[in-house]
Amino acid sequence: MILVVNAGSSSIKVELFDEHLTAILQGKVTEIGGKARIKLGTLDQPAFAPDHKAAFKTILQALAAQGHPAEALTGAAHRIVHGGELHDPVRLTDAVMTQIEGYNPLAPLHNPHNLSAIRALAALVPDLPQYASFDTAFHAGNAPLVTTYAIPQSERDKGIRRYGFHGLSYASLVEALGPSLPRRLLALHLGNGSSLCAIVDGKSVASSMGYSPVEGLVMGTRPGAFDSMAVLRLAQDYGIDATIKMLNKDCGLKGLGGTNDMVQLLATDAPEAHFAIEHYCYWAAREAGSAIVAMGGIDAIAFTGGIGENAEPIRTRILQHLAFLGDLPVHVVPADEERQIARDALNLIAAGR
């Protein structure tokens, strides 16, 4: 049994897989540090979770009550947003944890919470092997021409470059398409976080996201491509911390249409909602042109992610913008990052690592 973990600042999501990558159950603890609640399998009730350790204790108790005690787990596998120079799935050791911690400045809103969950679980079940898969890893083979910003070498030496994210989603998409994978695939992961990836022969050659997950497409609460001088203007007006919060929590669809819920936006006739939707689709298509150049052409398009899978009007509008490309095959693939993480862990276990 592999317990897949996706930890954020105030929530922990888990999904349990068997050795055949069959999902057994899933759940989450939300509002950690506040009015916490646990949903796991058939359980749905308030929880005592002032911190990640308490949240994990609640999850482990709920798993045991439903027939899956901690001692039956083979390992826990975590999603780490930023792997820096770590490109392959890895078993977590003190040395690896220290290396990941060194990348915290590259993903300050994500990595610290990922690490907090790993340490919390280690304190509760110290003998349980833990593994990590990295959201940046799928893009690790991108050429320097793709990843390099035109800034001084001294700044590039700090690790300021394009990394790309949503890699676990794209890896699972490639796995799902299998033999039907086209040579040059434009893949769009559309959700509260949105990006696109140019995939050639199953490998990433370019991503819309850059140094951070803020770059690229318009998203639920992030602006996407945004002039660096405008960022400095906001920082001058509001300070660094408030600007970071704004760019991550208050922009994108929410900034344009008042909400980051695409279902609500599609259901209303408000002019700002229509504009937000059109803006979202237009800029996805604009960025798609860049990805097609990176691939030297295109053979098919794939949509994944919550919006990509479920919002047919959004897919249709983006494809209308891209109609000049001709009649291309279009795939809609359910996102399955958790199964990809479990697959990575099982491969490491099978290899004795």
Side-chain angles (χ1 to χ4, degrees), residues 127-259:
D127 294 331
L128 181 67
Q130 297 196 67
Y131 304 88
S133 294
F134 303 101
D135 234 1
T136 48
F138 188 70
H139 311 291
N142 288 178
L145 188 65
V146 175
T147 62
T148 302
Y149 287 118
I151 57 176
Q153 183 66 51
S154 59
E155 305 312 304
R156 285 179 271 146
D157 289 343
K158 297 175 183 176
I160 301 177
R161 45 158 286 198
R162 294 180 179 91
Y163 288 94
F165 299 87
H166 288 150
L168 292 164
S169 175
Y170 294 123
S172 69
L173 184 152
V174 167
E175 185 78 23
L177 289 177
S180 63
L181 180 72
R183 180 173 180 270
R184 299 173 299 185
L185 177 68
L186 172 66
L188 296 96
H189 175 108
L190 305 179
N192 193 50
S194 296
S195 69
L196 58 77
C197 182
I199 300 175
V200 177
D201 294 328
K203 308 291 185 182
S204 168
V205 297
S207 167
S208 61
M209 285 181 165
Y211 172 74
S212 80
V214 173
E215 176 65 17
L217 308 190
V218 177
M219 306 178 215
T221 60
R222 301 172 189 149
F226 192 62
D227 191 298
S228 54
M229 292 304 294
V231 175
L232 292 176
R233 165 65 187 274
L234 294 178
Q236 186 179 46
D237 289 348
Y238 303 108
I240 296 294
D241 290 344
T243 299
I244 291 173
K245 179 181 179 296
M246 183 189 302
L247 294 176
N248 282 278
K249 302 293 186 181
D250 300 321
C251 295
L253 292 172
K254 183 178 179 181
L256 293 172
T259 177

Side-chain angles (χ1 to χ4, degrees), residues 64-139:
Q66 296 186 45
H68 305 288
E71 54 267 26
L73 298 176
T74 309
H78 299 260
R79 176 194 181 217
I80 304 291
V81 168
H82 213 307
E85 298 304 317
L86 289 168
H87 300 154
D88 297 319
V90 63
R91 181 168 176 172
L92 290 163
T93 64
D94 289 342
V96 171
M97 291 283 286
T98 298
Q99 189 172 355
I100 295 171
E101 193 167 30
Y103 301 134
N104 283 0
L106 303 180
L109 299 178
H110 299 90
N111 274 28
H113 305 302
N114 302 154
L115 291 168
S116 176
I118 293 165
R119 293 189 175 107
L121 187 55
L124 292 166
V125 193
D127 294 331
L128 181 67
Q130 297 196 67
Y131 304 88
S133 294
F134 303 101
D135 234 1
T136 48
F138 188 70
H139 311 291

